């Protein structure tokens, strides 16, 4: 569209320059024939003849000049008509080009509008496509999430079922183990009860034996102390409690008064110290009850 417009502008510039140049061209001024007359008086006949000849030449020259002027005028008129025709043609061409340019401009605007509409439609289509693609992507994401959730739920359900089966198996195992332990415990308890009864019976017998032995050695210890006890009439009906501690061989390691008559207590302490060693049993159970004993000393009269 730009090339015809440039050509039109160049054509108008050239035509304007041509009109300007022709307008300043003027037809050449007609030349005046110069005639030189002799200063001497010529012969009359010759002079008349010469004047007649010169007059004809002048007329011919004038006619030639007029013809030339007419030709130039006709040529100028023709040139002006040509210029006017060319100017008219140029104006028409200019108008045609203007119409063409206007048409092209309208076509360009229509094309731009069409292009803009097409671009808007394309943009709208792309937006719709992007929305559809986003929806499809979202749907695919939701589908994947649903599948993942379903798989996770299935895995969780299977894990729970496995855990339940395992728990049931372990519970049965624990119950069986507990039952076995209960039976074992019952058997052990029955055995322990039986052993306890036997032990109690033996312990009772042993206790009776120990008590008997303790009583025996307590009596022996009392007898030894009585042997060494120096009594006086003032001690009659009096008594004293003493604590005696013995070594494993009956050696008196400590003797203390626990209260009573002063004279009896002094005599009892003295008698224990004099005994130095008191009778004890080699039986550990019997000795354990004799190694730290409390005795009540009563003088015998």
């Amino acid at each position: 569209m730009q090339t015809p417009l440039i050509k039109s502008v160049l054509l108008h510039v050239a035509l304007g320059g041509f009109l300007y140049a022709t307008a300043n061209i003027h037809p050449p001024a007609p030349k005046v024939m110069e005639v030189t007359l002799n200063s001497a008086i010529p012969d009359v006949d010759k002079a008349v003849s010469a004047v007649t000849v010169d007059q004809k030449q002048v007329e011919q020259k004038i006619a030639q000049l007029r013809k030339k002027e007419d030709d130039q005028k006709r040529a100028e008129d023709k040139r002006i008509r040509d210029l006017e025709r060319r100017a008219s043609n140029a104006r028409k061409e200019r108008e045609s080009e203007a119409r063409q340019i206007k048409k092209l401009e309208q076509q360009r605007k229509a094309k731009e509008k069409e292009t803009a509409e097409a671009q808007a439609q394309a943009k709208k289509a792309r937006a719709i496509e992007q929305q559809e693609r986003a929806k499809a992507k979202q749907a695919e994401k939701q589908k994947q999430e649903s599948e993942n959730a379903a798989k996770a739920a299935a895995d969780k359900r299977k894990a729970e079922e496995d855990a339940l089966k395992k728990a049931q198996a372990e519970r049965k195992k624990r119950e069986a183990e507990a039952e076995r332990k209960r039976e074992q415990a019952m058997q052990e308890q029955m055995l322990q009860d039986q052993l306890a009864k036997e032990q109690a019976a033996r312990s009772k017998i042993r206790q009776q034996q120990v008590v008997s032995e303790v009583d025996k050695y307590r009596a022996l210890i009392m007898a030894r102390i009585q042997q060494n006890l120096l009594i006086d009439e003032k001690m009659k009906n009096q008594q004293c409690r003493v604590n005696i501690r013995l070594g494993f061989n009956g050696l008196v390691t400590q003797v203390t008064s626990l209260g009573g008559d002063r004279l009896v207590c002094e005599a009892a302490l003295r008698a224990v110290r004099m005994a130095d060693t008191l009778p004890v049993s080699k039986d550990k159970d019997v000795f354990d009850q004799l190694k730290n004993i409390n005795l009540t000393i009563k003088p015998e009269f």
Side-chain angles (χ1 to χ4, degrees):
M1 182 177 69
Q2 292 180 352
T3 302
L5 180 62
I6 294 172
K7 288 183 179 181
S8 177
V9 173
L10 291 176
L11 179 61
H12 283 81
V13 172
L15 183 59
F18 177 74
L19 290 173
Y20 179 78
T22 54
N24 291 326
I25 297 174
H26 299 283
K31 295 182 179 180
V32 180
M33 185 180 64
E34 295 181 359
V35 179
T36 303
L37 299 178
N38 293 326
S39 57
I41 297 174
D43 189 5
V44 174
D45 293 333
K46 290 181 179 180
V48 172
S49 177
V51 169
T52 301
V53 172
D54 291 338
Q55 183 65 32
K56 288 180 179 180
Q57 290 178 349
V58 168
E59 290 177 353
Q60 290 177 356
K61 192 67 175 177
I62 290 171
Q64 291 176 355
L65 290 173
R66 286 178 178 173
K67 183 177 182 300
K68 184 177 181 181
E69 184 179 355
D70 291 339
D71 292 340
Q72 289 177 348
K73 185 177 179 181
R74 284 192 297 270
E76 180 65 17
D77 292 339
K78 183 178 182 299
R79 185 182 66 80
I80 291 173
R81 287 194 300 272
D82 290 340
L83 289 174
E84 290 177 350
R85 180 177 55 79
R86 291 178 184 176
S88 177
N89 292 336
R91 184 176 61 258
K92 291 179 180 179
E93 184 177 356
R94 206 167 46 246
E95 291 174 354
S96 176
E97 289 179 354
R99 289 192 297 271
Q100 184 67 21
I101 290 171
K102 184 177 180 181
K103 182 178 179 181
L104 292 173
E105 182 66 17
Q106 291 175 350
Q107 291 177 352
R108 183 186 65 79
K109 290 181 178 179
K111 188 67 176 177
E112 288 180 351
K113 182 179 179 181
E114 182 181 354
T115 302
E117 291 177 352
Q119 290 177 349
Q121 291 294 331
K123 184 177 180 181
K124 184 177 179 180
R126 285 195 299 272
I128 294 173
E129 183 182 359
Q130 289 177 355
Q131 291 177 357
E132 294 297 328
R133 194 179 298 120
K135 289 180 180 179
K137 186 176 181 181
Q138 183 65 22
E140 182 64 24
K141 181 180 178 182
Q142 291 177 351
K143 178 183 177 183
Q144 187 65 38
E145 289 177 351
S146 298
E147 291 177 354
N148 293 338
K151 185 177 182 300
D155 293 341
K156 182 179 180 181
R157 185 170 58 253
K158 186 176 182 304
E160 289 176 350
E161 290 175 354
D162 293 342
L164 179 60
K165 290 179 180 178
K166 184 177 180 181
Q168 290 175 346
E170 290 180 352
R171 180 176 57 79
K172 290 180 180 179
K173 183 178 179 180
R174 288 196 301 271
E175 289 176 353
E177 182 67 18
E179 184 65 24
R180 185 187 65 80
K181 288 182 178 180
R182 277 196 297 271
E183 291 178 357
Q184 183 178 359
M186 289 175 64
Q187 293 176 358
E188 291 178 354
Q189 186 63 40
M190 291 173 63
L191 181 60
Q192 289 178 0
D193 291 343
Q194 185 177 355
L195 292 175
K197 289 178 180 179
E198 294 177 358
Q199 183 68 28
R202 287 195 298 268
S203 178
K204 186 176 181 180
I205 296 171
R206 175 66 177 164
Q207 186 66 26
Q208 291 174 354
Q209 292 175 350
V210 170
V211 170
S212 178
E213 287 291 309
V214 169
D215 290 342
K216 184 181 78 170
Y217 280 93
R218 183 185 294 271
L220 292 173
I221 292 171
M222 285 292 293
R224 179 71 61 85
I225 295 172
Q226 289 290 346
Q227 289 176 2
N228 297 325
L229 183 65
L230 299 176
I231 61 176
D232 187 91
E233 193 65 29
K234 295 178 181 180
M235 299 178 186
K236 190 176 181 178
N237 298 327
Q238 299 297 325
Q239 64 181 17
C240 177
R241 289 188 78 238
V242 295
N243 174 261
I244 303 171
R245 296 188 180 186
L246 303 174
F248 69 93
N249 56 358
L251 181 66
V252 177
T253 59
Q254 182 180 346
V255 59
T256 57
S257 173
L258 298 178
D261 182 74
R262 180 179 62 81
L263 293 177
V264 175
C265 288
E266 290 176 355
L269 294 175
R270 187 166 51 251
V272 173
R273 293 189 183 101
M274 288 177 63
D276 188 38
T277 301
L278 297 175
V280 292
S281 174
K282 294 181 179 180
D283 189 325
K284 184 178 181 300
D285 293 335
V286 177
F287 173 74
D288 286 342
Q289 295 191 36
L290 294 173
K291 65 182 180 181
N292 185 7
I293 60 175
N294 295 325
L295 296 176
T296 302
I297 306 301
K298 292 181 180 180
E300 294 179 357
F301 288 90

